[in-house]
Amino acid sequence: MLPTAKRLNDVKEYYFSIKLREVRSLIDQGKPIINLGIGSPDLSPPETVINALKNADTHGYQSYQGLPELRKSIASFYQKHYGVDLSFENQILPLMGSKEGILHISMAFLNKGDKVLIPNPGYPTYASVTKLIEAEPVFYNLEEKNQWWPDLKAIEKNDLTNVKIMWVNYPHMPTGSNGNEQLFKELIAFGKKHQILIVNDNPYSFVLNDKPQSILSVSGAKDVAIELNSLSKSFNMAGWRVGMVVGHESHIGAILKVKSNMDSGMFYGIQKGAIEALSLSSDWFDRMNQIYKERRNIIWNICDALNCTYDKDSSGLFVWAKIPSGKKSEEITDTILYNHNVFITPGTVFGDQGEGYIRFSLCIDKDSMIEVLDRIKKMELS
Ligand SMILES: Cc1ncc(COP(=O)(O)O)c(C=O)c1O
């Protein structure tokens, strides 16, 4: 066998890729598994969005920058929901999901050996992509007592000379903690002081969140910040692969240099569907959030049955729960999986700061959640 590139030595297969294989094999053995692990919305996008896709009759390559019409609708969306002005000409780049943007941004701004500030707990892709391109992850701890916000004063005590990028993600996954204007102002000031590109990954701002915010709404933010956004969670379009990166034209131009050499424009029908989705009124979010609220109530009951605690003010597609002290996250999730056929994500997937926590997805129907509650009530954890 040909040896693989050295860059793969430090990178493991994605946790969910491995665990879902195991879950699938349990299902194949006839186990009635209920999956509360993954944040892939189970509901459909609106009919109008699906029709826009169906009616597409263009099958050729598309522009690397996406249809001007799509960029215009992203610009209107950012103005309407976040109060942020973006030029559709050069401050917006549509992406095939925000996950691919993490690689494109890293390739555009990092050299081998550069350092990258990464939240712990946080979305695992920030660290794995950093390692893939042979840069160095520098984890900063988020703690419940600081509402899972970065302690910038503590971070500043380190040598930040070679740090080029800081990943932030508010509303935060996995904890559901929300940012606010003050936090974003402090992050922008930090980026300016240390010449670090602040990247806010913002796919959850419309899920169980009354105040959608963009880091770019802070005055002067575009000098040092860019933002990733996505239609995956907001419009139930995770499998469509539509996201975007927005910010200053010089930053977006650099990312386009990478992207245009790696892939081609999105299928025309997907872009038409995305345009339709972005123009929906806020009623769409209200309707989705009503469903998620009902589901979250049941998950809170499951947490109570497990003697876990949780923050009722959190946002996003998950409930992040603290397990009783003395217990280990993976022990609990494995016990629940093997004895009760329910898959829940251990907090340790998101870094060692996730030890002592578990994460529940809101992406299954109420009846299945009630079934989980019944199963959990029957188990004795302590
Ligand atoms: C924090 C965070 N960022 C990015 C993504 C990727 O989303 P997309 O479907 O837009 O690639 C996810 C998906 O779970 C996520 O949780």
Side-chain angles (χ1 to χ4, degrees):
M1 283 292 282
L2 211 61
T4 55
K6 283 196 205 113
R7 73 172 63 85
L8 288 192
N9 293 352
D10 280 348
V11 179
K12 287 189 265 172
E13 188 181 341
Y14 195 50
Y15 171 83
F16 284 110
S17 168
I18 299 168
K19 200 69 186 179
L20 290 176
R21 215 165 27 237
E22 189 189 342
V23 167
R24 219 161 294 124
S25 92
L26 291 171
I27 293 170
D28 290 346
Q29 291 162 34
K31 308 260 187 208
I33 301 283
I34 298 178
N35 188 344
L36 280 170
I38 195 123
S40 180
D42 57 315
L43 300 163
S44 298
E47 232 6 72
T48 50
V49 170
I50 295 169
N51 287 339
L53 169 69
K54 280 189 193 156
N55 294 337
D57 59 356
T58 300
H59 303 279
Y61 286 122
Q62 295 297 311
S63 150
Y64 300 99
Q65 273 182 285
L67 296 168
E69 199 187 341
L70 173 59
R71 282 181 277 119
K72 280 181 189 164
S73 56
I74 293 173
S76 308
F77 182 83
Y78 256 76
Q79 176 50 245
K80 177 170 155 196
H81 294 286
Y82 302 121
V84 169
D85 285 326
L86 294 170
S87 159
F88 83 95
E89 310 255 20
N90 50 21
Q91 296 190 328
I92 294 170
L93 182 60
L95 301 170
M96 295 175 200
S98 49
K99 191 172 183 183
E100 78 150 10
I102 297 170
L103 179 63
H104 293 344
I105 292 166
S106 301
M107 290 191 82
F109 295 102
L110 298 172
N111 291 314
K112 187 173 174 176
D114 282 345
K115 293 183 178 169
V116 181
L117 286 166
I118 293 175
N120 175 10
Y123 185 46
T125 303
Y126 309 137
S128 48
V129 163
T130 301
K131 288 183 201 157
L132 269 179
I133 63 157
E134 298 178 86
E136 191 188 321
V138 177
F139 292 98
Y140 61 91
N141 286 349
L142 304 179
E143 295 182 42
E144 187 169 0
K145 67 174 170 19
N146 294 334
Q147 63 189 105
W148 307 103
W149 285 5
D151 181 345
L152 295 176
K153 291 219 164 58
I155 295 172
E156 269 180 339
K157 289 192 181 132
N158 301 302
D159 176 12
L160 299 179
T161 327
N162 291 323
V163 174
K164 298 282 160 54
I165 288 180
M166 177 180 192
W167 290 99
V168 296
N169 157 228
Y170 291 97
H172 181 244
M173 198 292 298
T175 67
S177 163
N178 220 330
N180 69 7
E181 201 187 340
Q182 186 54 32
L183 172 65
F184 287 150
K185 279 185 177 160
E186 285 171 18
L187 285 166
I188 296 302
F190 178 84
K192 286 189 177 172
K193 181 170 168 193
H194 298 286
Q195 287 300 296
I196 293 172
L197 181 69
I198 308 290
V199 192
N200 187 38
D201 182 17
N202 193 15
Y204 294 101
S205 56
F206 297 94
V207 185
L208 294 172
N209 181 21
D210 296 334
K211 261 201 187 168
Q213 289 173 94
S214 161
I215 197 165
L216 298 183
S217 61
V218 171
S219 152
K222 281 185 199 153
D223 296 344
V224 284
I226 55 178
E227 186 160 273
L228 283 171
N229 214 320
S230 170
L231 276 66
S232 295
K233 322 287 178 173
S234 316
F235 298 104
N236 303 334
M237 291 167 71
W240 289 50
R241 312 309 301 138
V242 191
M244 68 205 75
V245 57
V246 298
H248 192 279
E249 52 271 29
S250 62
H251 294 139
I252 299 305
I255 301 162
L256 176 61
K257 245 191 214 175
V258 175
K259 182 174 163 65
S260 59
N261 280 295
M262 289 178 67
D263 58 43
S264 300
M266 253 178 280
F267 173 55
Y268 179 80
I270 291 180
Q271 298 194 56
K272 294 300 271 186
I275 291 165
E276 202 57 45
L278 290 162
S279 67
L280 289 169
S281 76
S282 295
D283 291 354
W284 163 257
F285 300 123
D286 294 344
R287 259 189 297 132
M288 288 304 109
N289 284 324
Q290 195 46 47
I291 295 170
Y292 287 133
K293 271 183 196 155
E294 288 170 14
R295 292 178 176 186
R296 188 174 58 176
N297 281 336
I298 306 170
I299 297 288
W300 285 344
N301 290 335
I302 294 171
C303 290
D304 294 339
L306 288 167
N307 291 320
C308 292
T309 53
Y310 45 88
D311 177 3
K312 287 197 164 179
D313 287 330
S314 63
S315 297
L317 266 187
F318 306 98
V319 170
W320 179 246
K322 189 171 187 167
I323 60 180
S325 65
K327 308 262 180 208
K328 294 273 184 207
S329 306
E330 288 186 36
E331 276 167 25
I332 289 200
T333 53
D334 278 348
T335 304
I336 297 173
L337 176 60
Y338 301 128
N339 297 350
H340 302 278
N341 296 313
V342 179
F343 175 46
I344 298 167
T345 309
T348 42
V349 168
F350 309 102
D352 55 15
Q353 286 291 108
E355 182 55 273
Y357 296 86
I358 52 180
R359 192 196 75 169
F360 297 83
S361 161
L362 299 178
C363 298
I364 63 165
D365 61 86
K366 270 188 350 184
D367 288 347
S368 305
M369 287 182 172
I370 290 166
E371 166 67 20
V372 171
L373 182 59
D374 286 346
R375 292 187 197 175
I376 299 283
K377 276 184 175 162
K378 285 182 197 140
M379 77 186 266
E380 273 182 21
L381 263 178
S382 43

